[in-house]
Amino acid sequence: MLTLPPSTRIYLCCEPTDMRKSFNGLDAATRAVMKKDPLSGHLFVFMNRRATIVKILFWDRSGFCVLAKKLERGRFKLPQHVDDETIQIEVESAELALMLEGIDLRGA
């Protein structure tokens, strides 16, 4: 389970992201696509088109951190249904933790 301060928000980008991006590319995607400040200390979650890879970008007061996870089988599922025009959703840390385990929360 993720342990985050209550002030930390988690933003999940609903648009597919090129997973070749690392620190600078995800920083730019956070600013351009999500219209958020990556230096805020919040978590910014990105998935590839096939939803098999997730990368999380966050600032820890001294630099950027990127966490990545690749599922060997199955796909990551968004915790809620989103329409085609939704760019981002905000999720709770428990939802993110279950999503990273590959659990589909849409039916829960």
Side-chain angles (χ1 to χ4, degrees), residues 35-55:
K35 308 284 192 252
K36 300 287 182 188
D37 179 15
L39 303 176
S40 63
H42 301 308
L43 274 65
F44 301 95
V45 183
F46 300 91
M47 278 192 290
N48 66 339
R49 185 169 306 282
R50 292 180 33 216
T52 57
I53 301 173
V54 165
K55 285 190 178 181

Side-chain angles (χ1 to χ4, degrees), residues 62-81:
S62 62
F64 280 117
C65 295
V66 174
L67 303 173
K69 180 165 184 177
K70 178 181 177 187
L71 287 179
E72 289 300 317
R73 285 180 296 178
R75 296 173 186 237
F76 292 106
K77 307 284 191 221
L78 294 175
Q80 53 191 280
H81 179 72

